[in-house]
Amino acid sequence: MTVNALDQCIADLRSYWTGLNSDAISRCRTAVARLAGAASTEPWLAQLHEKKPAAEELYRDPDQGFILLAHVEYQGQYRKPHNHGNGWVFYGLQHGEVQMATYGQFGKPGGGEKLVSRGAYTMRVGDCSAFLPGDIHDTRCLSDYMLMFRLTSCDFAEEKRAGRLQQFELS
């Protein structure tokens, strides 16, 4: 019996998931990057390319709580600078290109906060980026469409309800 890339990734993630530590980040990033490099001829992946869902849950781990999702965005779609609260996330690009920029948040003289760009980079097929709790980033789809896998440490809807997710304005 042949194991598809999705099933292999899930098995690897279940094995590697040991909480927030350097080894888990490295191993999980590698697993998501392998998934992002999967052949789009695999039936489950061909179906995602055909449907192009805005968001589709692929797997939710009942024991460890991590969630693997697929996302499709279209050229020019921009997601403002944001963080993921206490959660952490991996983005693995399966199709297209996306620009990611990262930011630091600093106090302004006289009060208030401002974002300072650390720079931007372009993710291409097979790339995987990790963002830890509090990291601020934005995304912009550069290609006709992008298909991205997003592995989250927890349900971000709960982070949002708790008021820990934040969106930021660029100054």
Side-chain angles (χ1 to χ4, degrees):
M1 181 174 151
T2 304
V3 175
N4 68 35
L6 177 59
D7 292 339
Q8 183 63 57
C9 181
I10 291 167
D12 290 345
L13 293 171
R14 287 185 52 79
S15 169
Y16 301 156
W17 199 266
T18 57
L20 182 56
N21 62 67
S22 296
D23 186 55
I25 293 292
S26 176
R27 295 173 122 210
C28 290
R29 178 186 285 161
T30 298
V32 173
R34 275 195 306 264
L35 181 64
S40 58
T41 54
E42 289 195 26
W44 68 273
L45 190 47
Q47 191 173 42
L48 284 173
H49 280 283
E50 184 178 319
K51 286 179 17 183
K52 294 182 177 65
E56 184 171 313
E57 188 172 303
L58 302 175
Y59 178 77
R60 182 179 294 247
D61 191 81
D63 301 317
Q64 301 175 73
F66 64 82
I67 303 167
L68 181 63
L69 304 112
H71 290 276
V72 169
E73 294 182 2
Y74 293 93
Q75 190 164 32
Q77 188 168 350
Y78 177 68
R79 298 203 183 263
K80 291 178 171 183
H82 61 280
N83 67 23
H84 295 284
N86 293 331
W88 32 295
V89 64
F90 297 85
Y91 293 107
L93 194 62
Q94 206 288 319
H95 176 85
E97 290 187 343
V98 64
Q99 182 182 45
M100 295 276 206
T102 60
Y103 300 88
Q105 185 177 22
F106 300 94
K108 289 186 198 178
E113 299 285 323
K114 69 177 177 178
L115 290 184
V116 176
S117 174
R118 290 189 174 114
Y121 58 96
T122 300
M123 286 184 67
R124 293 184 172 83
V125 173
D127 288 347
C128 183
S129 293
F131 294 95
L132 303 179
D135 286 349
I136 301 168
H137 64 282
D138 65 9
T139 66
R140 181 181 310 275
C141 181
L142 301 175
S143 52
D144 57 339
Y145 79 96
M146 66 152 188
L147 172 59
M148 180 179 284
F149 298 115
R150 188 173 87 163
L151 174 66
T152 65
S153 62
C154 59
D155 189 335
F156 287 168
E158 292 175 22
E159 288 293 298
K160 187 175 185 175
R161 280 191 295 278
R164 290 186 288 262
L165 292 178
Q166 291 179 283
Q167 280 199 341
F168 302 88
E169 295 295 328
L170 292 173
S171 351

